[in-house]
Amino acid sequence: MDLICDRSSLVSLASVLYFLGQVVATPLAGWAADKYGRRPTLLISYGVYAVLETALVFSRDYISFVLLRFLVGVARQAMNSAFFVLMMEWIPPSRRGTWGAIAEVQYTTGVLLITLIAFLVQNWTHIQAFIAALSVVAIPLYWYAA
């Protein structure tokens, strides 16, 4: 997208919009999980997340990219909120701290894996395709876990 030199600030704006999507989703995700249930909210948000991550591979202009990133942030936060609350409801109180910490290991592992892939590939479209493929492959895992 040629975001270099005088347009490099647009890279930071894309990140800000992603996190703004998470901020917007926080109250909505809690409401949806309470009204419709945690499992349906988790599964629907994960399905939407996988579709949006796949759509990002095909974005060719900045506006569609940042709009999709905003929506990915919304879906990601809905998924995180529903997953964490559901997990805390299933786990006995004496084990919640341990399992809450273990749940974050998967996120850290994912970030490290993406960092390695980004180092090896160095093309944002291919990196995004890798993320989308992992998202689609993980859908049955979420169905099983929830």
Side-chain angles (χ1 to χ4, degrees):
M1 292 183 199
D2 198 31
L3 299 177
I4 56 173
C5 298
D6 60 330
R7 300 182 69 199
S8 64
S9 62
L10 295 177
V11 175
S12 297
L13 180 61
S15 295
V16 167
L17 289 173
Y18 169 78
F19 288 111
L20 184 61
Q22 289 190 328
V23 168
V24 167
T26 300
L28 297 175
W31 172 81
D34 288 342
K35 181 164 178 72
Y36 301 109
R38 292 168 196 6
R39 289 181 66 179
T41 302
L42 175 62
L43 295 173
I44 289 168
S45 63
Y46 196 82
V48 169
Y49 174 78
V51 168
L52 292 170
E53 286 287 354
T54 304
L56 270 170
V57 175
F58 302 104
S59 66
R60 295 292 174 240
D61 61 274
Y62 183 75
I63 299 298
S64 66
F65 178 78
V66 295
L67 178 63
L68 287 169
R69 284 288 291 167
F70 174 82
L71 294 173
V72 164
V74 170
R76 179 78 185 166
Q77 183 60 33
M79 187 174 62
N80 288 348
S81 296
F83 169 74
F84 198 80
V85 172
L86 188 62
M87 183 180 70
M88 290 299 121
E89 289 175 348
W90 286 350
I91 295 172
S94 63
R95 300 282 185 191
R96 287 182 182 163
T98 303
W99 282 100
I102 289 171
E104 298 305 316
V105 170
Q106 55 86 19
Y107 177 78
T108 305
T109 304
V111 169
L112 292 173
L113 179 62
I114 290 170
T115 303
L116 177 64
I117 296 301
F119 176 75
L120 297 173
V121 176
Q122 297 184 0
N123 179 318
W124 79 267
T125 306
H126 295 129
I127 297 165
Q128 187 60 47
F130 177 78
I131 295 168
L134 288 178
S135 299
V136 171
V137 167
I139 287 175
L141 297 175
Y142 267 82
W143 185 265
Y144 175 74

